[in-house]
Amino acid sequence: MRFYISADIEGICGVVSREHTRPGGFEYEAARDWMTQSTIAVCEAAREAGATELVVSDSHGNGQNIRMEALPDYVQLVRSWPRPLGMMQGIEIGPFDGCFLVGYHAGGSNPGGVLSHTMSSEFIHEIRLNGTVASEAVISAALAGAYGVPVLMVASDDVGVAEMRSELGDHLAAATLKQAYGSYSALNPSLSVALARLRMATTEAVALAGKVEPYRIDGPVELEIDLRTRFVAEWLSYLPAVERRGAYTIRYRAVDILAVSRFLMFLAFARMATSP
Ligand SMILES: [Zn+2]
């Protein structure tokens, strides 16, 4: 059996501040270790449950948070950006029996959750697919679905887990890694308890392989983005494929979810490339 892990940092036990998420920030190096240990806990539990190979996507920030020297030799690691499948790059080298979303977080328009956002807290407020609010977890699940891979496990704070269950359905394992008090505060178990929860959820998830349908969003897909600044909406509307729906909102009709991902990656990197 082969499994795929998309790893983010905001939902990891102990991570509560923006400083934790950025190189150079207070305790960032520690947060990398917590993310690395969390990823390894999932890999080891999957291996013990029968996995022969795993692909991990480092899907946060610069895509170079996980300490690759610590990973076991049955794991391959996707690092750095840009890449057309974003947080799910590597899913295309399947087949995989399932995927796990680890350290994910609630979406930008959820009033609760630690460090909740969708793709970028600086320039995106909300993303909708075919009129329904879509978190990063939904976009990742739909990209996995395009390759026939079901999401079998999510790991986040309690708000993120509840949101992902409501979006993706109850037929998946989940690990709650902290209780959110708000955007920058949480009640955290000890790291060893969080790692034990990840191992337990992974064991449950591997047992679900073959029993869960992939989450699919068939094309064409209508992508709407509420941006945080008028200028980005204005600037994107210069593209003939983009329609401006309001001062802050643009719409793009994508042929499929893979084109949605390419558009979002283009947006993220065009924005980064034009930022001072
Ligand atoms: Zn992140």
Side-chain angles (χ1 to χ4, degrees), residues 245-268:
R245 302 282 293 159
Y248 294 86
T249 303
I250 57 112
R251 178 162 74 185
Y252 169 67
R253 286 195 177 86
V255 290
D256 55 21
I257 192 70
L258 304 179
V260 167
S261 180
R262 283 179 175 272
F263 186 90
L264 292 173
M265 284 298 108
F266 167 82
L267 176 55

Side-chain angles (χ1 to χ4, degrees), residues 20-97:
H20 283 143
T21 69
R22 294 176 179 163
F26 176 71
E27 286 188 341
Y28 167 72
E29 294 298 324
R32 291 178 74 184
D33 287 336
W34 308 333
M35 180 184 182
T36 301
Q37 289 180 51
S38 299
T39 304
I40 290 171
V42 173
C43 293
E44 287 178 348
R47 173 87 159 172
E48 280 158 25
T52 49
E53 192 184 339
L54 290 108
V55 173
V56 173
S57 166
D58 189 327
S59 296
H60 170 77
N62 62 9
Q64 298 161 72
N65 309 275
I66 292 169
R67 295 192 191 278
M68 68 170 293
E69 65 275 18
L71 293 178
D73 58 10
Y74 51 87
V75 178
Q76 294 185 80
L77 180 63
V78 177
R79 307 185 83 203
S80 192
W81 321 84
R83 51 203 204 204
L85 292 174
M87 298 177 82
M88 296 302 284
Q89 197 71 51
I91 197 80
E92 78 287 353
I93 61 164
F96 292 104
D97 296 277

Side-chain angles (χ1 to χ4, degrees), residues 8-10 59-61 105 117:
D8 203 351
I9 207 169
E10 288 88 346
S59 296
H60 170 77
H105 48 80
H117 66 281

